[in-house]
Amino acid sequence: MRSDRPPQNSLVLLGVIHSDPLGYRRTLAFLSRHRPDAILVEISPYALRYRMEHSRRLLRRFHANLRTAARNASMDYRKALGHPRIAAIARQITLPFEYRASAAFAAASGATVAPVDRSEFSTIWIETWAELICAENLETLLKIEDAPASVASGYELAARKIRGDFPAPDLWTGGDISLWRRREDHIVSEIFSVLARSRSERPFYIGGWRHLVHSETVRTVRDAFAVDLSRCFLLDRGPVAVR
């Protein structure tokens, strides 16, 4: 007799850096290798719907404002568009690569895709976008010469924190910690519900790598489902357990 509980021990976690410029290609390749039958993606229904309805308008405004910002900063527009902080904003206001790659894989394989993030959290974040893409903010970012940490170094740091190689400051600082707890609890609840309904045998969760880290203050997805390190992956390297 089959249990009413979803097969938690089969859940695989794939951690990503959202600004990874190779993210779409890497995610699609990963999914094609591992062939999940259910993909739980760190995006909320609200954020998904908002981007699908408004991303074109946002991108038009973003590019218009960037042209103004580049002109004020005496910078070539194409160079401005390639600035790492500017490119990160362009990626942020469009459909994230995690969802696009998952949807493409699902269309070809028959797998299911479910957005599992908390819409309340997305609403708060999306409300900052108007200020984020305004010409004044873009001009300020263009004048910052120090580049953000590379994606490669970000993945390396993520691997060490997921493995617990060294004591690390809590990852859930900044803002209301209760909001982070509610968000993580919501994601856990949504994953559980989807797995209970679908009876998936090869479920995968794809989201930011922080959800794969053990935390003393927030029950992460990994903690809630007791996911062994051998089933924790990072997008740039595969199994986190392999050094």
Side-chain angles (χ1 to χ4, degrees):
M1 180 180 295
R2 303 185 79 174
S3 170
D4 290 334
R5 296 176 63 83
Q8 295 183 24
N9 290 336
S10 64
L11 183 64
V12 172
L13 307 182
L14 175 60
V16 308
I17 291 179
H18 298 302
S19 61
D20 186 346
L22 302 177
Y24 178 85
R25 186 172 67 191
R26 283 172 162 171
T27 303
L28 194 56
F30 183 91
L31 295 174
S32 297
R33 282 196 307 273
H34 293 274
R35 312 296 297 179
D37 57 7
I39 310 169
L40 304 313
V41 184
E42 184 200 340
I43 186 172
S44 74
Y46 174 78
L48 178 59
R49 183 172 64 253
Y50 187 91
R51 284 178 170 95
M52 293 182 73
E53 294 177 356
H54 300 289
S55 62
R56 289 186 180 181
R57 173 181 59 82
L58 288 169
L59 281 172
R60 285 196 298 269
R61 184 186 302 174
F62 164 78
H63 287 291
N65 290 344
L66 182 59
R67 291 184 187 278
T68 299
R71 185 167 56 250
N72 292 343
S74 301
M75 182 181 294
D76 177 75
Y77 171 73
R78 292 189 178 277
K79 182 178 180 181
L81 192 59
H83 190 289
R85 298 180 189 275
I86 300 299
I89 291 176
R91 285 190 291 268
Q92 181 177 320
I93 62 178
T94 57
L95 277 175
F97 68 78
E98 303 97 297
Y99 183 83
R100 290 187 290 113
S102 297
F105 173 78
S109 69
T112 60
V113 180
V116 295
D117 208 345
R118 185 178 175 88
S119 288
E120 175 197 9
F121 185 89
S122 302
T123 302
I124 295 171
W125 185 242
I126 288 173
E127 285 176 351
T128 69
W129 285 5
E131 182 178 354
L132 186 69
I133 67 174
C134 74
E136 293 79 6
N137 184 59
L138 296 177
E139 182 180 348
T140 298
L141 294 177
L142 288 175
K143 294 177 180 178
I144 299 176
E145 296 183 358
D146 61 311
S150 70
V151 170
S153 63
Y155 276 121
E156 182 57 35
L157 181 62
R160 297 177 66 192
K161 289 187 175 182
I162 293 169
R163 289 194 301 259
D165 288 352
F166 59 91
D170 194 84
L171 302 171
W172 309 91
T173 56
D176 183 358
I177 190 66
S178 65
L179 179 64
W180 288 103
R181 289 195 182 105
R182 291 197 301 273
R183 181 195 186 194
E184 203 75 359
D185 286 345
H186 178 87
I187 292 174
V188 168
S189 177
E190 286 297 300
I191 293 174
F192 188 93
S193 296
V194 171
L195 296 188
R197 293 193 306 268
S198 69
R199 310 307 307 173
S200 166
E201 296 182 354
R202 298 186 309 281
F204 276 55
Y205 170 76
I206 302 178
W209 61 266
R210 285 174 174 79
H211 302 279
L212 281 65
V213 175
H214 171 68
S215 170
E216 297 293 339
T217 57
V218 176
R219 184 187 65 159
T220 64
V221 173
R222 179 184 169 192
D223 289 335
F225 288 95
V227 178
D228 186 78
L229 188 62
S230 64
R231 299 196 311 281
C232 292
F233 294 76
L234 280 173
L235 190 55
D236 74 324
R237 67 192 60 200
V240 176
V242 178
R243 297 173 185 271

